[in-house]
Amino acid sequence: MTEILCPDPAGNARAALLLQQGGLVALPTETVYGLGADARNSAAVARIYEAKGRPSFNPLIIHVADVAQARRYARWSDLAQNLADGFWPGPLTLVLPLTSHHGLSSLVTAGLDSVAIRVPAHPTARAILERFGGPVAAPSANPSGKISATTAAHVRNGLDGRIDAIVDDGPCAVGLESTIIGLTARQPLLLRAGGVSVEAIEARLGSALDSANGADIIAPGQLASHYAPHASVRLNATKAEPDEVMLGFADIAGDISLSTTGNLTEAAACLFDRLHELDALRKPIAVAPIPNHGLGRAINDRLRRAAAPR
Ligand code: TXA
Ligand code: MG
């Protein structure tokens, strides 16, 4: 039985209690719904992999309430402080060296000597994290390889009966996962494009970001095929073939559109929702071209993985 909880003090307290007891709780964040478990409890974290059917070499992001908590787990630096000052709480994940006394399950770090960590901005996520008081490991709350969940209904469709609870707080505002920046090498590295634009991070750093080269998969979640609908996906389409359904953008109309005005923030916020809607029709999906700047870069990253051969 999966409990549906309200994002009120009673629901948040129940969610925190379930986490303390080693339960699995799907939580709203500003990016996507996360499937949370106590990051120090290996049995709880193992259940995340089991519920998602996720390949176990993928390390997980931990979510904490503030920088003070982050510093218990991650070795802090001026660069980390600069990015945290600029973008936390918010859709930015930092990969940092682990502290010696971190106490995290090795299933969270997948045996690496670094940890991915973020302070989410969503008020309900924050309330639950504060109440729980520890680190919450939370990948996106969808079966492995499938479209990320941006509503409680998406979570329920994918994971009902496999997890203890879902805190239903409506749709996620950003709609794309967090941007991941690696801070373990000499230069900051872009490991995943996401909810904070690369341009905004470069402006804060005052320098251009290097991208992780696909050859050494440093962020293992970056598998070629991911976010996959059941049917095939064709990108950069200007019109649908007879058997296809079309996802439009700007002046390219479709059966539905990511944004008829060409607004990338709006498109990011509804991307996974539109993919879930078209996926339900079980027809091949044609997708209009999306400009590759700002949040468009993260949108195109997700679309390429949705379209990749499986
Ligand atoms: O917005 C988000 O980030 C969402 C919400 C729930 O917070 N979470 C999310 O988690 O997208 P997940 O598990 O689906 O993605 C985790 C990503 C993967 O690409 C993984 O490889 C990378 O983080 N990652 C985790 N730990 C890492 C590490 N130590 N070094 C490099 N990459 C790491
Ligand atoms: Mg995911």
Side-chain angles (χ1 to χ4, degrees):
M1 262 289 291
T2 298
E3 294 175 39
I4 306 295
L5 302 175
C6 290
D8 57 17
N12 295 343
R14 175 79 186 143
L17 180 68
L18 286 168
L19 290 170
Q20 269 149 22
Q21 294 172 340
L24 291 189
V25 180
L27 316 163
T29 82
E30 71 277 24
T31 59
V32 299
Y33 274 74
L35 180 56
D38 183 342
R40 300 159 298 192
N41 178 337
S42 285
V45 177
R47 290 187 59 210
I48 293 181
Y49 289 108
E50 186 181 41
K52 283 184 62 101
R54 189 179 216 202
S56 58
F57 53 80
N58 270 9
L60 304 174
I61 295 174
I62 68 166
H63 300 68
V64 294
D66 52 34
V67 168
Q69 275 204 33
R71 297 182 72 152
R72 289 190 204 165
Y73 309 104
R75 292 220 306 275
W76 209 240
S77 62
D78 291 347
L79 214 48
Q81 188 63 46
N82 181 22
L83 291 175
D85 286 342
F87 303 106
W88 279 3
L92 177 72
T93 294
L94 300 178
V95 175
L96 290 160
L98 280 165
T99 58
S100 55
H101 52 278
H102 59 80
L104 297 171
S105 162
S106 60
L107 281 176
V108 167
T109 56
L112 300 172
D113 50 14
S114 56
V115 61
I117 193 159
R118 89 177 181 97
V119 175
H122 194 291
T124 299
R126 296 179 63 73
I128 294 168
L129 286 172
E130 274 161 25
R131 180 112 198 178
F132 174 62
V136 171
S140 50
N142 50 273
S144 185
K146 297 298 184 196
I147 306 166
S148 300
T150 53
T151 67
H154 297 160
V155 180
R156 187 136 43 111
N157 291 341
L159 300 172
D160 194 23
R162 308 169 70 93
I163 64 179
D164 297 295
I166 303 171
V167 183
D168 184 352
D169 203 0
C172 302
V174 177
L176 290 173
E177 294 87 345
S178 58
T179 302
I180 306 181
I181 302 291
L183 295 179
T184 54
R186 219 171 309 131
Q187 296 294 329
L189 267 187
L190 176 66
L191 298 179
R192 177 175 76 184
V196 177
S197 74
V198 170
E199 290 90 333
I201 294 169
E202 289 179 336
R204 177 100 203 160
L205 293 172
S207 62
L209 269 176
D210 280 339
S211 290
N213 147 9
D216 41 19
I217 300 189
I218 308 182
Q222 301 296 75
L223 296 172
S225 171
H226 207 82
Y227 310 103
H230 291 83
S232 62
V233 175
R234 185 169 65 89
L235 303 181
N236 296 315
T238 47
K239 82 191 237 306
E241 298 296 332
D243 60 328
E244 289 177 329
V245 287
M246 173 105 194
L247 182 56
F249 180 77
D251 44 14
I252 298 185
D255 297 275
I256 48 177
S257 177
L258 286 173
S259 168
T260 53
T261 59
N263 179 322
L264 289 169
T265 304
E266 183 189 6
C270 72
L271 173 68
F272 292 132
D273 202 32
R274 295 288 176 266
L275 287 176
H276 278 283
E277 280 175 51
L278 293 177
D279 192 25
L281 305 174
R282 297 290 193 270
K283 286 186 173 174
I285 301 170
V287 185
I290 311 294
N292 205 40
H293 57 77
L295 291 183
R297 188 156 160 170
I299 295 171
N300 282 322
D301 169 80
R302 305 303 185 273
L303 287 171
R304 272 195 302 277
R305 291 174 210 286
R310 328 169 178 153

